[in-house]
Amino acid sequence: QVQLVESGGGSVQAGGSLRLSCAVSGHAGNTYYMGWFRQTPGKAHEAVAAIYTGDGNSYYADSVKGRFNISQDNAKNTLYLQMNSLKPEDTAMYYCAAARLYSGYVPEWFADNEYKDWGQGTQVTVSA
């Protein structure tokens, strides 16, 4: 089981930036999608971005392309989400999640049901 602990959320004005961090443990030796999702009250998880730990390829939702950047620091066992040009509609609880990948089966990176391990979330609030 992978343990995930997010940090870095907060309140910012539109146009500002935040960097979310996710400390990861329990994942050594396996390949994953490491993803960021967000959720607002009453709505389902929305996939934001993910990175494939095997080759470092990254994936983004259309709504954040060009503004957000996902990265990983393997030495620090940390996943990041750099969020720039934030908009009020980016306001949500942001979650870090892990989807273990197995040979011969590659799920869609945005399929939240494939992610079995989740952090507790960190709140991002963007004011107009």
Side-chain angles (χ1 to χ4, degrees):
Q1 186 177 4
V2 179
Q3 291 78 46
L4 305 160
V5 180
E6 304 96 333
S7 61
S11 297
V12 65
Q13 289 190 325
S17 298
L18 283 173
R19 188 176 79 159
L20 306 183
S21 300
C22 176
V24 184
S25 60
H27 63 299
N30 298 310
T31 305
Y32 291 85
Y33 280 140
M34 299 299 301
W36 287 98
F37 289 77
R38 63 188 181 188
Q39 188 176 33
T40 53
K43 294 190 176 181
H45 286 120
E46 177 190 4
V48 176
I51 192 165
Y52 173 50
T53 63
D55 59 13
N57 278 345
S58 56
Y59 309 87
Y60 297 92
D62 288 344
S63 59
V64 306
K65 277 181 183 176
R67 300 189 298 122
F68 289 13
N69 183 68
I70 188 171
S71 62
Q72 58 181 355
D73 185 330
N74 293 327
K76 295 183 178 180
N77 290 324
T78 302
L79 181 73
Y80 299 101
L81 185 68
Q82 177 67 45
M83 306 186 294
N84 301 322
S85 302
L86 283 161
K87 304 176 181 180
E89 52 264 43
D90 294 318
T91 295
M93 184 71 78
Y94 282 71
Y95 296 90
C96 174
R100 185 173 173 182
L101 304 179
Y102 298 87
S103 177
Y105 177 63
V106 181
E108 299 289 356
W109 72 269
F110 48 79
D112 63 343
N113 61 302
E114 297 288 347
Y115 291 76
K116 304 305 181 186
D117 298 298
W118 294 76
Q120 82 288 351
T122 186
Q123 178 68 36
V124 171
T125 302
V126 184
S127 57

